Amino acid sequence: MIIKAKNGRQVLLRKLIPADIDKLTYYFQCLGPGTLKRYGPHKFDTQSITEIYQPHGDHTAYIALDMETSEIIAYSVIKKGFLEHDGYRLQSYGIIPDSTTDCTFAPSVADEWQSLGVGNSLFRFLLADLIANGLKRIILWGGVQSDNDKALNYYLKNGFRTLGQFEHNGQNFDMILEII
Ligand SMILES: CC(C)(COP(=O)(O)OP(=O)(O)OC[C@H]1O[C@@H](n2cnc3c(N)ncnc32)[C@H](O)[C@@H]1OP(=O)(O)O)[C@@H](O)C(=O)NCCC(=O)NCCS
């Protein structure tokens, strides 16, 4: 799918394929400290990414590419099910985790492309795919830092609700989107 970002540039949205791994490594290398402080669902080196995206694994990545440069400018990871170590917190909010219809989500956009509508567009794109695949709930990957206003607005705008808060290097909110 092709969209137009608020800077007027055309952006291609699609799933990650194995041939993208080097480009994705470069994307992570270019993330600035402000974004890295907010974003770290997994290791960012080529070997780790290759292992995560083995065929038939439980992770799917959705990317946005600048059509002028072919560079990756946004990356969102979806893991099927929920994170084992977040399970007890989810249960404390009355959520019964379901490994077949829940998924766990962590979005990112390259620093210079943030606030240009790419995050929203990539979310709508991946949501349609999740619905088509029978997923029913999207849980944030390790929550969101309570002082991350941009991300909090983004989640609320896309229909997520707050489940509760927890302490981990500061205050964080657990959030969820019930798709149906
Ligand atoms: C959070 C993030 C994924 C949002 O993607 P984005 O492309 O920047 O966001 P968009 O331009 O699509 O805007 C989506 C919504 O986010 C909010 N938002 C975006 N920029 C914002 C800003 N500068 N200040 C406050 N809210 C902002 C708005 O609610 C916006 O919706 P609206 O434009 O309809 O009002 C992106 O900013 C990012 O990667 N941030 C750093 C990493 C991170 O925090 N990831 C999440 C970890 S939990």
Side-chain angles (χ1 to χ4, degrees):
M1 174 192 256
I2 295 172
I3 57 131
K4 200 180 217 183
K6 286 181 188 166
N7 60 4
R9 301 259 283 267
Q10 286 201 309
V11 171
L12 174 68
L13 310 179
R14 63 167 172 80
K15 280 189 190 177
L16 186 86
I17 57 170
D20 295 321
I21 296 291
D22 286 342
K23 268 187 195 175
L24 186 59
T25 309
Y26 181 68
Y27 167 81
F28 292 133
Q29 284 167 353
C30 294
L31 291 180
T35 296
L36 289 172
K37 184 177 159 227
R38 307 298 193 186
Y39 196 66
H42 53 69
K43 290 188 183 166
F44 290 157
D45 60 284
T46 306
Q47 191 185 334
S48 302
I49 304 166
T50 308
E51 281 165 16
I52 290 168
Y53 292 110
Q54 287 294 322
H56 315 299
D58 59 359
H59 293 72
T60 307
Y62 299 83
I63 54 173
L65 298 108
D66 175 8
M67 291 186 72
E68 234 173 85
T69 62
S70 296
E71 278 179 15
I72 295 177
I73 56 156
Y75 163 81
S76 288
V77 52
I78 290 281
K79 178 180 157 52
K80 197 128 195 266
F82 56 95
L83 301 183
E84 285 299 322
H85 59 273
D86 286 352
Y88 79 94
R89 278 205 322 276
L90 297 171
Q91 287 180 34
S92 77
Y93 309 129
I95 299 286
I96 311 296
D98 183 325
S99 58
T100 58
T101 55
D102 287 340
C103 64
T104 303
F105 169 57
S108 69
V109 175
D111 297 60
E112 63 277 21
W113 283 85
Q114 289 176 15
S115 305
L116 293 175
V118 175
N120 266 350
S121 297
L122 190 58
F123 182 72
R124 283 193 286 267
F125 177 74
L126 70 84
L127 181 61
D129 194 49
L130 297 180
I131 291 170
N133 282 292
L135 276 304
K136 305 250 185 272
R137 292 190 299 204
I138 307 176
I139 299 161
L140 293 193
W141 192 303
V144 53
Q145 295 162 352
S146 63
D147 62 352
N148 189 354
D149 290 336
K150 212 186 276 189
L152 277 167
N153 287 341
Y154 160 83
Y155 293 128
L156 291 171
K157 193 97 194 187
N158 284 297
F160 284 76
R161 70 180 171 90
T162 304
L163 290 168
Q165 56 182 307
F166 65 99
E167 165 75 33
H168 178 74
N169 299 330
Q171 279 302 309
N172 300 268
F173 295 118
D174 280 310
M175 299 181 83
I176 196 166
L177 173 66
E178 273 118 358
I179 295 175
I180 48 158

